[in-house]
Amino acid sequence: MPGDLGDFGGDAPRHDHAPGGTQVRLARDLTLADATLLGVGALMGGGIFIMPGIAAAVSGPAVWLALALNAIVTIPTLLVYAELASAYHDAGGGYLWIKDALREPFGFLGGWMSWFSHAVACAVYALASGAYLVFLLQYAGWAGPDTPAITLKLAALGITAFFVLLNYRGVKAAARTENAVTSIVLVVLAIFLVFGTLALFKHPEAAVQRLHLGDWQGMLPFGFTGVFLTMGLTFIAFEGYEIIAQASEEVRRPKRNVPLACILSVVIMAPLLVWVAILSIGAVQSPDGGESWAWLASKGEVGLVAAAGQFIPFGVGAVIVLVGAMLSNVTALNSTIYSSSRVSFAMARDNVLPRVFARVNPRSQAPDASIVFSGLLIAAMAALLPIEAVAAAADIMFLMLFFMVNVSYIKLRKTTKHMDYGFRAPFFPYLSIVGIAAQVALAVALYLYSPVSWLAAAAWVGVGLAVHYGYARRLSPAPEPRTEKAFDIHAAERRGYSVLLPVANPATLGSLAAVASDIARAKGGDVLLLHVVTVPRATLPSAARHFAEPAKPFMRDAARQFPRDVPVHTVIKIAHDPAKAILETAEEEGTDLILLGWRGRPSLREHVLGSTLDPVVREAPCDVAVYRESRSGSPRRVVLAARGRGKHAKLGAELAGALAKARGTDLVALTVITPSGAVEPEARLASVVADAGIGPWEAQFKTVRAASAEAGLLQAAQPGDLLLIGASDEPAWHRQLFGTLPERVAARAEGAVLLVKRSSPRQRMVVRGVNKLAQAVEYLKPEQVQKPKP
């Protein structure tokens, strides 16, 4: 049963229903690998480089045991996040779930604590980055061993200011750029693990002695209390799935990929965290002959860097791991500033924070007020508290947030049965109860470790209550019940055959709307009108919804150009890349045909049809047709120039028959005879026409003699004709899109031309692989901020 066993489902598109029937959707750019690496990056930045040295001071050589127990303790909350994130695909994560499940002030406090927990986590990353910078200066001989603590604080504040400024200016690295950095850090981590493991097994007896395996008294110098305190202190290392939930509105197939990414990130990183802790003690020795764990503890947040210097050869170990640690922390810092501002932005959008936090800078398209205030929180925590206390404060806030999420989940499981879940956590509600108990126990332990951190967390909650009762309670609207029902223009029901028609401007829709209507009518289907609002990669998708407002009136105008007997549905999609938005919509809707308009040859030589049309034609998950309207009047005849008996020729015959039937016009099947022979023998052409269900009395067969196939087609296609040409049957690597001949004819013909291509899953897979390689460098290029294109 779904309620008893964890299971993954398929996916459905996310719809944000706008007044007037037009759906506003956000394009999803992140794949399963992207989302998983997002969580892995957060896990690495939050614990793997920072925590071993700090935790060793609390639990001695049992750091690995505390991390292993934490990996077990986090499982209930991980599964809860996986289930809820499979159904809720909005920015906000735990805040939205708490708001939907619990009465105020808990809904507000969920967002308030989520905002603070992300900001405090940023302070941890900033302080660690400052410590790494000071270590680098000392390693280079530019600073002495007794560098004052104020230097570390100033370095942390400088790094914070730099990344707050970057986010303020809208310079947000693309997800794949961050994933490239995460991949580099994983390589650094692999180097550490390989050489550390070799050193460990080179002297296994010494490693056992350093770890005090089998010697409980030696392994637990601070007793089980030390292990318990370390579990609370290192809990931040397992909060990566919250970052994934924050980004769920940008993940493709979120119902499947978001829960998978949450689980995979922990499955990948939990064993690595434990093994790194073992190596950082078992593979090193104290220079003074003392305990390895005591030496590691004396190094604090740079303990892992110092450990690497002992067993990675050629004297470069410390530098390699230092570079990886700095990359990991600054990437986590940048991402968490980004996600922190998302939470405050979402709260302001819900009228529970002042509207200034929902303000979007018109130049950078970034929520500037949210970013600045988050930056002030980060700077205050980094300046006022040591890194141990800051880490404890972050742990407390995440524990409180996860506690509320688990409580919310128990209620939501009973009240949201109408929602479409892609994953169900097992053993409801017992796992959640275990998670709640563990989080309460760890939060109490952190009070024993750092009372000042608890005071900081309590003060923030107190300020939050004051804001709620003094401001938010008066303005926040009543929550609306969530629903999966979709609303479409004309109140039309979706039919079997679907034509996707991207539209940039209804004024230029003209004959393209007529072609789409005729095909849909003949096939007994409907038309989906899609308008893509392009925004820069720096722009928060949730911050870009207002860009859809100017497009709604002209989408209504576009829909009115279709006859009433053809159902029309309208969608506005906010995206970074229009071609990807078209492809994504086709996959979401199960589209049968994508119909694209083409004005003629592009100005750039590297494109055949255009920068948007080319990738759509190459990677379309369905049949695709490109229409170039007549240069001299409306088409009066449909002329079919089928080439071969392949899939493209058959599609051309099907569409030619549908258009001729819908328009009540003549259908002409054309044969061109050249000196080298007939381009398409009439008997074979007749077979293609018959296979399309067109009777011999419904088509006229015409033969034209010409010097070349191109000349014959241009000669036969009169200005009042609509010429249909199927793509060449030659392999994909021999032709660019439709083939040389169809593309040349389409560019030169006086009449209207419709190029058609049947979908090929195998070719599409090859093309996508080649495009991934070609675009890898593009993802690393800095992007200039630009205004959205309507």
Side-chain angles (χ1 to χ4, degrees):
M1 295 175 62
D4 299 324
L5 297 174
D7 53 56
F8 292 91
D11 186 42
R14 171 176 173 263
H15 304 303
D16 292 312
H17 309 296
T22 299
Q23 299 173 5
V24 179
R25 306 184 192 170
L26 305 178
R28 301 183 181 277
D29 296 329
L30 304 184
T31 64
L32 173 61
D34 295 328
T36 302
L37 284 176
L38 190 66
V40 168
L43 286 166
M44 287 194 298
I48 204 162
F49 290 104
I50 303 171
M51 287 302 170
I54 296 174
V58 182
S59 60
V63 176
W64 67 270
L65 179 61
L67 289 170
L69 291 174
N70 253 347
I72 296 172
V73 166
T74 200
I75 288 174
T77 304
L78 167 65
L79 295 179
V80 166
Y81 263 80
E83 177 172 333
L84 293 177
S86 74
Y88 286 77
H89 307 146
D90 302 318
Y95 158 62
L96 292 178
W97 309 335
I98 297 169
K99 184 182 71 171
D100 275 7
L102 305 180
R103 294 183 178 181
E104 298 297 351
F106 297 107
F108 172 84
L109 285 178
W112 188 255
M113 290 190 296
S114 178
W115 182 21
F116 188 65
S117 60
H118 284 82
V120 179
C122 281
V124 175
Y125 306 146
L127 286 168
S129 300
Y132 295 142
L133 182 59
V134 171
F135 184 91
L136 180 62
L137 295 175
Q138 292 173 341
Y139 187 85
W142 296 339
D146 298 325
T147 304
I150 188 64
T151 305
L152 186 152
K153 294 287 188 180
L154 292 175
L157 292 176
I159 292 170
T160 299
F162 176 74
F163 282 101
V164 168
L165 179 62
L166 283 185
N167 279 269
Y168 181 87
R169 292 174 62 85
V171 186
K172 167 69 173 66
R176 289 174 179 81
T177 302
E178 294 185 358
N179 289 346
V181 174
T182 300
S183 300
I184 294 172
V185 176
L186 285 172
V187 171
V188 171
L189 192 59
I191 294 172
F192 179 92
L193 292 171
V194 168
F195 286 103
T197 302
L198 291 174
L200 185 79
F201 287 104
K202 187 176 181 179
H203 302 288
E205 298 84 2
V208 170
Q209 185 177 0
R210 292 165 189 157
L211 291 166
H212 293 277
L213 297 180
D215 175 15
W216 286 105
Q217 187 173 358
M219 189 171 69
L220 303 172
F222 306 105
F224 279 102
T225 302
V227 174
F228 201 55
L229 293 176
T230 302
M231 289 177 64
L233 181 62
T234 59
F235 194 78
I236 190 177
F238 294 90
E239 52 86 24
Y241 45 82
E242 164 70 12
I243 304 297
I244 296 173
Q246 290 284 349
S248 62
E249 69 177 353
E250 300 172 54
V251 179
R252 298 175 190 170
R253 301 184 65 192
K255 197 171 77 170
R256 170 186 177 271
N257 288 344
V258 172
L260 266 176
C262 290
I263 294 171
L264 285 174
S265 64
V266 174
V267 168
I268 291 169
M269 288 306 300
L272 293 182
L273 282 167
V274 174
W275 191 241
V276 165
I278 290 173
L279 295 180
S280 61
I281 295 174
V284 302
Q285 56 183 349
S286 175
D288 60 5
E291 292 281 1
S292 296
W293 66 264
W295 173 81
L296 184 71
S298 69
K299 299 298 181 180
E301 57 269 31
V302 297
L304 202 69
V305 176
Q310 286 202 18
F311 52 72
I312 296 180
F314 309 115
V316 296
V319 175
I320 290 176
V321 175
L322 180 65
V323 170
M326 291 191 71
L327 283 174
S328 174
N329 276 276
V330 297
T331 303
L333 175 63
N334 189 45
S335 297
T336 314
I337 290 174
Y338 185 66
S339 61
S340 175
S341 63
R342 276 187 189 186
V343 179
S344 55
F345 178 89
M347 293 177 71
R349 194 177 61 198
D350 290 341
N351 285 326
V352 296
L353 282 181
R355 293 297 298 173
V356 67
F357 288 95
R359 186 182 68 193
V360 176
N361 188 296
R363 183 174 181 181
S364 66
Q365 305 302 327
D368 48 11
S370 292
I371 291 170
V372 168
F373 202 86
S374 294
L376 293 175
L377 279 176
I378 297 165
M381 294 298 291
L384 298 176
L385 297 175
I387 188 170
E388 297 85 356
V390 176
D395 285 314
I396 292 167
M397 298 309 298
F398 275 114
L399 286 167
M400 294 173 69
L401 174 66
F402 292 163
F403 169 84
M404 296 178 70
V405 167
N406 274 288
V407 173
S408 301
Y409 166 70
I410 293 174
K411 182 176 180 180
L412 289 173
R413 174 65 92 90
K414 299 177 180 178
T415 59
T416 59
K417 295 180 180 179
H418 65 283
M419 294 189 69
D420 191 13
Y421 286 88
F423 172 80
R424 284 292 196 180
F427 309 119
F428 174 82
Y430 307 110
L431 270 182
S432 293
I433 295 172
V434 171
I436 290 169
Q439 284 145 18
V440 170
L442 292 178
V444 172
L446 282 171
Y447 177 79
L448 301 176
Y449 174 76
S450 177
V452 68
S453 301
W454 253 104
L455 290 175
W460 182 256
V461 172
V463 172
L465 289 171
V467 171
H468 170 72
Y469 287 107
Y471 176 84
R473 190 180 185 185
R474 295 183 286 106
L475 296 178
S476 58
E480 297 180 0
R482 289 183 174 265
T483 177
E484 295 297 309
K485 185 179 179 181
F487 299 93
D488 294 310
I489 199 163
H490 295 170
E493 293 185 2
R494 302 303 298 266
R495 297 184 181 178
Y497 192 90
S498 176
V499 179
L500 173 61
L501 178 57
V503 54
N505 188 338
T508 61
L509 195 56
S511 55
L512 194 61
V515 173
S517 299
D518 291 342
I519 294 174
R521 185 187 295 112
K523 294 281 190 178
D526 55 26
V527 176
L528 176 64
L529 280 178
L530 171 67
H531 176 69
V532 181
V533 177
T534 307
V535 297
R537 288 192 179 277
T539 303
L540 293 170
S542 54
R545 296 176 191 274
H546 64 284
F547 294 143
E549 293 302 321
K552 291 175 184 175
F554 80 66
M555 286 298 280
R556 287 193 290 270
D557 293 339
R560 293 191 184 102
Q561 297 186 36
F562 289 79
R564 297 294 300 183
D565 63 334
V566 176
V568 179
H569 316 274
T570 58
V571 171
I572 299 171
K573 176 157 284 190
I574 301 169
H576 298 133
D577 185 325
K580 289 182 180 178
I582 295 170
L583 293 169
E584 180 184 274
T585 304
E587 290 183 355
E588 288 176 347
E589 297 293 334
T591 299
D592 296 285
L593 175 71
I594 300 176
L595 178 60
L596 303 166
W598 182 45
R599 297 180 181 179
R601 285 287 184 185
S603 58
L604 300 177
R605 292 183 179 179
E606 60 264 29
H607 301 303
V608 178
L609 302 178
S611 59
T612 298
L613 270 63
D614 284 11
V616 173
V617 173
R618 288 193 188 100
E619 302 180 30
C622 59
D623 299 337
V624 62
V626 173
Y627 178 78
R628 204 222 67 202
E629 64 182 5
S630 173
R631 295 188 173 102
S632 55
S634 301
R636 296 183 300 273
R637 234 179 18 161
V638 178
V639 177
L640 170 64
R643 305 181 67 237
R645 294 187 62 184
K647 57 189 177 184
H648 309 304
K650 292 178 181 178
L651 174 63
E654 291 173 10
L655 295 183
L659 288 168
K661 177 181 178 182
R663 299 183 176 199
T665 59
D666 295 335
L667 171 60
V668 177
L670 182 65
T671 297
V672 177
I673 298 179
T674 65
S676 60
V679 172
E680 189 60 41
E682 185 172 315
R684 187 182 298 175
L685 183 58
S687 175
V688 171
V689 171
D691 288 345
I694 302 172
W697 62 91
E698 295 178 288
Q700 304 173 16
F701 290 87
K702 180 178 180 181
T703 301
V704 174
R705 296 181 179 272
S708 65
E710 180 179 349
L713 292 174
L714 291 173
Q715 174 187 338
Q718 301 298 316
D721 290 342
L722 169 58
L723 177 63
L724 273 84
I725 311 178
S728 300
D729 288 326
E730 58 194 5
W733 51 87
H734 286 172
R735 58 179 164 81
Q736 295 191 60
L737 297 177
F738 292 94
T740 305
L741 176 61
E743 289 161 10
R744 286 206 309 261
V745 172
R748 296 181 57 190
E750 285 295 321
V753 179
L754 188 67
L755 303 177
V756 299
K757 179 182 176 184
R758 177 138 275 169
S759 173
S760 170
R762 180 178 298 178
Q763 289 182 0
R764 196 164 63 247
M765 181 178 66
V766 173
V767 170
R768 283 180 177 176
V770 173
N771 287 345
K772 288 289 185 182
L773 293 175
Q775 294 169 359
V777 176
E778 294 297 322
Y779 286 126
L780 299 177
K781 290 182 179 179
E783 180 183 3
Q784 296 180 350
V785 175
Q786 54 186 349
K787 292 184 178 180
K789 299 176 183 179

